[in-house]
Amino acid sequence: MSNHFLLTFYHHDFFLHYAYLRKSTGTDWFKGTFHAHRGLEVLIVHEGKGKLIVDQKSYELTPGTLCVFQPYQLHFLQAEMSEETPFVRSIIQFEPLMYEAYFEKWPSLFAFYKRLLTSKLPSPCLYNLDEADQFHSVFQNWENRKRTNEEEFSLFLVAFFYQLKSVWERYQDQIELSAVRTPSQIERILAWLEARYTEPLSLNNMANELHLSPYHISHRFKEWVGMTLSEYLNERRLQESVKLLTTTNHTVAQIGETIGLENCSYFCKIFKKKFGLSPHQYRKKWLELFESTQR
């Protein structure tokens, strides 16, 4: 997984990132971190285990797990691995804007695709997929004929989502069952932050409302998430700022105020440090991409 908080999908001209049976062991650099993507991501775990946080809820990762991460959806993944027990997964990340027209040709498939893209899913994960349901045939066919053009990418995505639709419908009874459980402490902390991330952080207020000690919150959060509360808040604010830059006409100053960074200079400074572009430059690149797809 990338340590970047938000991938920009400039990996190649057609905005698709793909990995089949990517293997990591304890000797690899694989540090869990909260991040999000502008596009849609599908993760399939073939071997190994780990933990995942999405929308302030935690999930176990085991072989045969499939996860869907929607655009701008903040998620955290941490894998347990060693030379003897590697973490093996397949990943697809793509920019929906580039490929939506291809799905429109198939009404039932397009409806399923739009549901994954825009609906609030009860759970992002399916569990205990059989080997036959782990998309090996689709991946292997793509491996044999891989080309570097948009048409080939679109055919691969349509084939993948056609099988995903079938798998999702057969395993969807798990989704309702997974929603019933007691939130963990870290989930309660994240839910509290999500409701107040645009406000100045008050550790004492958080501790009082959650009935936890300030020291316990700080220590547990850093241990679990790999960053401090302040670092997480800035990451969450920047993630929201990218969404607003690409989906609204608000000025940079207005966006800064909306996300709780009222000092516009400071907002621009940390944005550029994170993404290598100013907010204005990021929006300009996005508009150029959007206009090129319309043409």
Side-chain angles (χ1 to χ4, degrees):
M1 263 316 164
S2 169
N3 282 330
H4 291 292
F5 185 70
L6 209 145
L7 301 180
T8 54
F9 285 90
Y10 297 124
H11 293 92
H12 28 93
D13 292 340
F14 302 106
F15 304 91
L16 175 84
H17 178 65
Y18 156 91
Y20 177 47
L21 298 179
R22 179 173 290 173
K23 183 177 182 180
S24 297
T25 67
T27 59
D28 296 330
W29 178 255
F30 194 102
K31 181 181 178 182
T33 180
F34 270 97
H35 65 286
H37 312 285
R38 191 175 65 215
L40 187 72
E41 176 182 3
V42 180
L43 166 72
I44 303 161
V45 179
H46 304 289
E47 296 179 40
K49 61 182 181 178
K51 51 193 174 187
L52 172 72
I53 297 179
V54 184
D55 291 337
Q56 300 84 56
K57 294 181 181 179
S58 63
Y59 303 86
E60 294 298 317
L61 294 178
T62 56
T65 303
L66 181 146
C67 305
V68 174
F69 306 119
Q70 296 172 307
Y72 304 105
Q73 187 173 45
L74 202 61
H75 55 282
F76 168 96
L77 188 155
Q78 192 169 55
E80 301 173 26
M81 68 191 79
S82 67
E83 292 286 354
E84 294 74 28
T85 57
F87 187 63
V88 182
R89 70 279 190 199
S90 296
I91 304 165
I92 293 174
Q93 299 166 354
F94 69 98
E95 172 54 67
L97 183 66
M98 298 294 293
Y99 296 99
E100 190 156 298
Y102 293 96
F103 288 99
E104 290 176 348
K105 297 177 175 63
W106 316 96
S108 176
L109 185 63
F110 183 60
F112 169 72
Y113 160 79
K114 291 295 284 186
R115 178 189 169 202
L116 290 189
L117 190 65
T118 62
S119 299
K120 185 171 179 59
L121 304 177
S123 170
C125 298
L126 299 179
Y127 288 97
N128 303 314
L129 272 64
D130 294 332
E131 279 290 313
D133 291 330
Q134 293 184 34
F135 305 89
H136 292 294
S137 60
V138 177
F139 285 123
Q140 288 165 1
N141 183 56
W142 170 249
E143 289 283 300
N144 292 333
R145 56 177 289 133
K146 197 168 7 177
R147 300 287 186 272
T148 56
N149 63 72
E150 185 177 348
E151 182 176 341
E152 291 289 339
F153 290 157
S154 64
L155 289 172
F156 166 67
L157 286 174
V158 167
F160 178 84
F161 270 83
Y162 185 81
Q163 184 172 339
L164 177 58
K165 180 177 181 293
S166 174
V167 170
W168 193 273
E169 289 170 349
R170 280 187 283 116
Y171 287 84
Q172 66 180 347
D173 59 315
Q174 300 178 1
I175 295 177
E176 301 303 326
L177 294 174
S178 67
V180 184
R181 59 184 182 75
T182 303
S184 66
Q185 284 187 356
I186 192 64
E187 290 174 302
R188 291 171 57 216
I189 293 169
L190 287 167
W192 192 95
L193 290 170
E194 182 63 22
R196 299 166 180 81
Y197 72 89
T198 61
E199 305 168 6
L201 174 64
S202 172
L203 185 56
N204 286 332
N205 286 347
M206 181 195 297
N208 289 335
E209 292 183 26
L210 297 178
H211 306 290
L212 298 169
S213 75
Y215 173 80
H216 178 82
I217 290 175
S218 297
H219 181 74
R220 184 69 173 146
F221 193 88
K222 180 72 182 289
E223 178 185 278
W224 233 94
V225 176
M227 62 177 70
T228 66
L229 285 163
S230 296
E231 289 169 339
Y232 172 83
L233 280 177
N234 271 348
E235 296 284 12
R236 178 65 183 92
R237 289 163 175 163
L238 289 176
Q239 181 255 347
E240 185 67 15
S241 75
V242 171
K243 182 177 181 179
L244 294 173
L245 283 167
T246 57
T247 59
T248 74
N249 293 322
H250 299 334
T251 67
V252 171
Q254 288 172 331
I255 291 172
E257 291 178 6
T258 300
I259 64 174
L261 295 173
E262 296 184 4
N263 185 321
C264 191
S265 296
Y266 177 68
F267 168 42
C268 292
K269 179 181 178 181
I270 64 172
F271 189 99
K272 187 168 185 177
K273 182 178 180 181
K274 188 70 185 181
F275 301 115
L277 298 169
S278 70
H280 287 291
Q281 291 168 332
Y282 195 100
R283 172 176 272 169
K284 182 180 178 181
K285 278 189 172 291
W286 169 254
L287 289 174
E288 289 172 352
L289 167 63
F290 180 80
E291 289 168 1
S292 68
T293 60
Q294 298 306 299
R295 290 194 297 268

